[in-house]
Amino acid sequence: MNNIIFLDLKKINSQYEYELKEACSRVIDSGWYIMGKELTEFEAEFASYCNTKHCIGVANGLDALILVLRAWKELGLLNDGDEVIVPANTYIASILAISENGLKPVLCEPNIDTYNLDAQGIKKCITSKTKAILPVHIYGTISPMDEICQLAKDHNLLILEDCAQSHGAEIAGVKAGAWGDASGFSFYPGKNLGALGDAGAITTNDDKLADILVALRNYGSHKKYENLYQGVNSRLDEIQAAMLRVKIKYLADETILRQKIAEYYLSKINNPLVTLPNYQERNRHVWHLFVLRCKERSRLQSYLSENGIQTLIHYPIPPHKQKAYQEFNDYVLPLTEQIHREILSIPISPVMETAEIDCVVNIINNFR
Ligand SMILES: *Cc1c(COP(=O)(O)O)cnc(C)c1O
């Protein structure tokens, strides 16, 4: 019997066990556990990876998004009730970041082929109250940022990229996280760059924004016991920064492994009942998830499970149908609802064995 688990985090991290343990000991021995050298070094390394001027470590990906919007409010660029356009099919965190700040999420239907926003869809959602766009590079493929940036420029809108699933994705050599006015990243353990606990970061080229964010994440304080803002405690601790400094060295290689599996799936999976992801050549997709569509999703999922293949749904309930957002419950968003009804994520990770990949292909191809 097969036992192909969706994502084997233990196997991923055990590849680097020696280095991770050494880095952990280094922090323990340093006697300095918050806002120290590991964080400063990681921020520099991640800014360099994304090719941005600044990286500000925070406690998690949700806080990264929340704090950028909050900083724009402090700067007077956003005000209560302003509209922020966000894909309706995103993970709920992107939407929580908007409502948490007293801003209005405007749920935009994504492109059915890429599952991301595109300029055409965004245009339909722009009103006189629109102040920002929050594109989510979902599943590891980057939104068409060239056209989105042009649109934002024409309408004088801010762009906050949600890069929680897209570390290293790029268009024309420009990475996710370097296109917008600011970007939020998550290093949740299961993300392409994952810590061994919660962690997140913001990237930006804007000096003023970076300066406020450095304070906001630390009680609103630049200087100990002097508070310029009513900030929060959202710091990326030294142990997690040290873990990330080990893992960032392997991110490029791990991404290549994901891309190879994805290419194999795309060339070998062939079943008229299954729609494959639409891979766009110009985008460097980093395959956080490999998402199929199937009209008979639950039958396919049970079939795969009976054959020892674990799958997941990202995500089973669209945000506008959640109890947490009753004000959106009667919205009609046909593409988003179709996506949530039909999508299924199959295993993809840098530690999958060739035999496992072949097995996934064969079993899907035999689904009748
Ligand atoms: C994971 C994720 C987040 C939130 O990140 P956390 O670190 O879990 O807070 C935000 N947006 C998207 C699209 C995500 O996948």
Side-chain angles (χ1 to χ4, degrees), residues 95-316:
I95 295 170
L96 290 170
I98 300 169
S99 52
E100 166 78 22
N101 274 292
L103 304 164
K104 184 169 180 252
V106 173
L107 306 182
C108 182
E109 288 263 66
N111 179 304
I112 187 74
D113 291 321
T114 63
Y115 309 119
N116 277 331
L117 291 184
D118 59 20
Q120 221 188 335
I122 294 170
K123 266 186 207 153
K124 292 184 197 149
C125 294
I126 295 178
T127 72
S128 59
K129 290 186 138 182
T130 309
K131 288 288 152 53
I133 310 171
L134 202 167
V136 181
H137 310 313
I138 206 156
Y139 309 147
T141 193
I142 186 166
S143 314
M145 291 310 294
D146 37 7
E147 60 181 59
I148 293 176
C149 288
Q150 186 57 50
L151 188 67
K153 211 170 155 196
D154 295 345
H155 294 263
N156 200 19
L157 307 175
L158 293 161
I159 297 180
L160 169 55
E161 295 175 70
D162 182 339
C163 301
Q165 303 189 3
S166 59
H167 316 72
E170 62 184 47
I171 297 175
V174 180
K175 283 202 172 71
W179 285 90
D181 297 289
S183 306
F185 284 85
S186 166
F187 308 119
Y188 177 80
K191 307 285 168 145
N192 284 23
L193 177 57
L196 276 69
D198 273 316
I202 296 153
T203 55
T204 183
N205 290 320
D206 182 336
D207 298 340
K208 257 202 225 147
L209 179 69
D211 184 59
I212 292 192
L213 287 165
V214 162
L216 280 179
R217 71 169 173 191
N218 188 31
Y219 298 110
S221 167
H222 287 101
K223 195 172 162 211
K224 204 161 187 175
Y225 306 129
E226 283 182 25
N227 302 73
L228 229 48
Y229 310 99
Q230 296 174 14
V232 298
N233 176 352
S234 180
R235 301 176 296 218
L236 200 179
D237 64 71
E238 290 289 283
I239 292 222
Q240 293 311 331
M243 301 297 96
L244 288 164
R245 289 187 66 203
V246 171
K247 293 192 69 185
I248 196 174
K249 292 190 289 178
Y250 302 101
L251 179 58
D253 287 343
E254 290 197 343
T255 300
I256 291 169
L257 291 171
R258 287 175 183 275
Q259 288 165 336
K260 285 194 171 143
I261 299 170
E263 273 161 36
Y264 193 77
Y265 280 162
L266 287 169
S267 67
K268 301 282 182 187
I269 297 176
N270 183 2
N271 185 322
L273 299 174
V274 167
T275 306
L276 290 169
N278 183 321
Y279 174 59
Q280 294 183 321
E281 203 58 56
R282 73 175 194 137
N283 296 0
R284 184 169 177 276
H285 197 318
V286 296
W287 301 103
H288 174 57
L289 296 168
F290 193 95
V291 179
L292 306 173
R293 265 201 341 264
C294 177
K295 300 266 182 219
E296 297 177 78
R297 192 233 343 248
S298 78
R299 198 165 69 78
L300 175 61
Q301 187 169 33
S302 314
Y303 163 84
L304 291 174
S305 166
E306 283 155 21
N307 284 283
I309 298 171
Q310 188 192 4
T311 59
L312 293 174
I313 299 168
H314 298 93
Y315 299 90

Side-chain angles (χ1 to χ4, degrees), residues 334-347:
L335 293 180
T336 298
E337 286 156 30
Q338 181 194 346
I339 290 167
H340 287 265
R341 214 165 40 237
E342 297 182 357
I343 47 172
L344 188 66
S345 309
I346 62 172

